[in-house]
Amino acid sequence: MKLSVGCDIAYEVADQATLIFNIEAMAGGHQTVLDETLTITPDLIAEEGTASQSGNRYRRLIVPQGLVKLRYEAEIDLQPLRGAPETIPEVLVARLPLETLPFLNPSRYCPSDQLSRFAGREFGHIPMGYNRVAEICNWIHDEVDYISGSSDTTTTAADTFSLRAGVCRDFAHLGITFCRALGIPARFVSCYAWQLEPQDFHAVFEAYLGDRWYLFDATRKAALDGMVRIGCGRDAADTAFATIYGTVFPSPIRVWANAPGADLNAAWTTDAISIAVN
């Protein structure tokens, strides 16, 4: 599938500030960046780099007082690997690749140690495999209300579990937390999402099953096979689209993800979807 994705971001900077952005689509795996442009106004020097472990792409700007605008546009070829859910097993901790082990541990927004007793009682009896993670997503979708503005940057998965309300990042954090509590490596993914309404940066998660990372979205607000990965990490703290050091005043963000020629009425896939490099 060919997708056109991008965003417009603007900040009024009160005094000189350092801004770090993670808005560019990842390259590799089943996601190919065919073409992309990043326009910065005014024309500032942007230091760029890619994190060796995550593949996240960063731009660091030193911005003087005044207005700064960024426009990112990209054409993406997305060819996700599809699998039959019933054939995808969980992997015992003793056999997990060493690089997945950090994603078993509690993190800032995913205190899996605090919810391990509930996770074991609620999901421990479900046969191990892809469908157990799907049942975690079903529980979150049914039990947690999606309410804009119901959480903030301090909200953890434990808070979401208690409040039973949140937005996409909270749904992802709760899914990650339950998975880790059950011994399933899980990580946070920020993305551009085809068919998401209203358009915004979206948050989902990946669980390591079989021999690769598979995508999950407990919100059910976008098609799994239309996700363009931007960043991944332990939780949202590792994948912020903008990290700001200084005083700035943001303008409304515009995000888009279009698939020209795609059938908007096509049924969403029930396949297991993997996009990441393994």
Side-chain angles (χ1 to χ4, degrees):
M1 180 190 295
K2 300 292 195 303
L3 293 106
S4 175
V5 304
C7 62
D8 284 319
I9 300 173
Y11 293 97
E12 185 69 39
V13 178
D15 200 351
Q16 180 172 291
T18 299
L19 281 62
I20 303 170
F21 294 97
N22 179 204
I23 58 175
E24 296 166 271
M26 284 183 171
H30 301 274
Q31 178 172 299
T32 302
V33 180
L34 301 175
D35 187 42
E36 64 180 349
T37 58
L38 177 65
T39 304
I40 303 171
T41 307
D43 187 15
L44 300 171
I45 296 174
E47 178 187 358
E48 69 176 292
T50 301
S52 58
Q53 291 185 333
S54 66
N56 297 356
R57 301 170 63 193
Y58 296 104
R59 298 277 183 155
R60 179 165 59 186
L61 302 177
I62 299 175
V63 183
Q65 183 180 30
L67 181 66
V68 61
K69 297 181 180 180
L70 284 84
R71 181 180 180 87
Y72 176 67
E73 301 173 90
E75 300 299 321
I76 307 295
D77 183 23
L78 200 59
Q79 300 295 333
L81 185 147
R82 300 171 183 272
E86 63 276 6
T87 68
I88 300 170
E90 289 180 32
V91 183
L92 297 177
V93 173
R95 296 186 179 276
L96 283 169
L98 293 178
E99 62 268 21
T100 69
L101 298 184
F103 299 102
L104 286 172
N105 300 329
S107 59
R108 176 180 176 183
Y109 292 112
C110 300
S112 49
D113 51 341
Q114 297 179 25
L115 296 179
S116 59
R117 187 164 58 89
F118 174 84
R121 185 173 67 245
E122 187 71 24
F123 309 112
H125 67 283
I126 299 172
M128 296 173 64
Y130 181 97
N131 286 325
R132 179 152 73 150
V133 182
E135 283 301 316
I136 289 173
C137 291
N138 290 341
W139 186 93
I140 296 171
H141 181 269
D142 293 343
E143 298 294 332
V144 180
D145 296 326
Y146 192 99
I147 302 176
S148 297
S150 59
S151 63
D152 57 30
T153 57
T154 68
T155 302
T156 70
D159 298 326
T160 302
F161 178 75
S162 176
L163 296 170
R164 299 297 169 94
V167 294
C168 60
R169 63 176 258 157
D170 305 305
F171 279 52
H173 283 154
L174 193 53
I176 291 167
T177 299
F178 286 151
C179 284
R180 291 178 184 172
L182 296 169
I184 304 169
R187 65 189 185 187
F188 189 94
V189 177
S190 60
C191 59
Y192 296 102
W194 179 53
Q195 294 188 329
L196 180 68
E197 293 295 339
Q199 274 289 319
D200 202 344
F201 292 113
H202 194 41
V204 296
F205 73 95
E206 291 175 324
Y208 191 87
L209 301 162
D211 62 350
R212 64 188 61 248
W213 294 96
Y214 286 92
L215 280 170
F216 292 89
D217 182 6
T219 71
R220 299 181 187 169
K221 290 187 174 294
L224 278 179
D225 51 358
M227 305 282 183
V228 174
R229 298 168 84 248
I230 303 172
C232 69
R234 294 165 300 171
D235 53 33
D238 292 339
T239 59
F241 72 86
T243 304
I244 298 166
Y245 297 90
T247 303
V248 305
F249 303 96
S251 298
I253 298 170
R254 190 169 77 91
V255 177
W256 61 89
N258 303 312
D263 182 2
L264 294 177
N265 296 315
W268 291 356
T269 181
T270 57
D271 296 339
I273 295 294
S274 177
I275 297 174
V277 177
N278 289 278

